[in-house]
Amino acid sequence: MKKSSFKLPLTRLLTVMLFGLLALGACKSKKKVVEAAPEPVPVEEPAPAPKPEPAKPSAEEVAVGKLEDYFNAVANATNLQSANNTIREALGMFSNQNTPVLIVIHEEAGVKDYDEPTTIEKYLHYLKDTQKNLNFISDIRMDGSGRVAELELRRR
């Protein structure tokens, strides 16, 4: 007579474990299939917002840039003729040749102390004579026609 192989405890245990592994393996693969089954729902993306245009510089900012260039050109001019030509061009940006130029020498708690007031014409000739531009524009006021009406400078 033949002995049944299921009667041995070790064989029985191995057989049960084999079926258990197969069952678990089958469940995992079904789970993967079930997880992969849902189709992704197409999501409509909102239209991209238009890129903001670069901020255009104000008239004051443009004037400050041009005036700084003129001041440096007058101070660094190689001869009197080129300095005088640059002065003539720069004066065209002002409401008149007597436009006040105020140079701040000290400021404390919002109170400003100014050097002796001068005019733009005198200041440009001062730059030509000293050949040094030691100040920068800290405030500018424009008139209604887009010309400079007052200029405030500070030491660098």
Side-chain angles (χ1 to χ4, degrees):
M1 261 197 168
K2 244 179 163 178
K3 270 185 162 180
S4 175
S5 62
F6 282 111
K7 292 190 177 180
L8 294 173
L10 184 60
T11 311
R12 199 179 291 168
L13 179 64
L14 286 175
T15 307
V16 170
M17 286 177 66
L18 180 65
F19 283 121
L21 284 174
L22 289 174
L24 288 175
C27 288
K28 284 185 182 177
S29 63
K30 285 182 184 177
K31 194 173 192 179
K32 288 180 185 175
V33 171
V34 170
E35 287 177 2
E39 293 182 24
V41 178
V43 177
E44 292 184 28
E45 294 181 18
K51 293 181 182 178
E53 294 182 24
K56 294 181 182 177
S58 66
E60 288 86 4
E61 292 171 334
V62 171
V64 166
K66 286 182 180 179
L67 286 175
E68 289 287 349
D69 291 342
Y70 280 134
F71 292 167
N72 289 327
V74 169
N76 299 323
T78 55
N79 59 47
L80 289 176
Q81 184 63 34
S82 67
N84 287 333
N85 289 340
T86 306
I87 288 172
R88 202 172 312 113
E89 286 179 36
L91 287 174
M93 292 185 64
F94 292 88
S95 54
N96 62 49
Q97 294 180 351
N98 296 322
T99 299
V101 176
L102 306 171
I103 301 172
V104 178
I105 55 175
H106 181 73
E107 181 177 2
E108 188 173 325
V111 178
K112 298 176 184 177
D113 291 326
Y114 295 99
D115 197 1
E116 181 180 341
T118 187
T119 65
I120 187 58
E121 184 178 28
K122 289 180 183 177
Y123 183 73
L124 288 169
H125 285 288
Y126 168 79
L127 290 176
K128 177 178 75 172
D129 295 340
T130 62
Q131 295 183 342
K132 293 180 184 174
N133 184 13
L134 301 176
N135 301 312
F136 68 94
I137 299 171
S138 65
D139 191 23
I140 189 169
R141 291 189 182 90
M142 309 289 275
D143 64 9
S145 64
R147 295 179 181 258
V148 179
E150 186 179 305
L151 199 58
E152 185 178 282
L153 306 175
R154 291 182 187 262
R155 288 269 182 205
R156 292 190 193 268

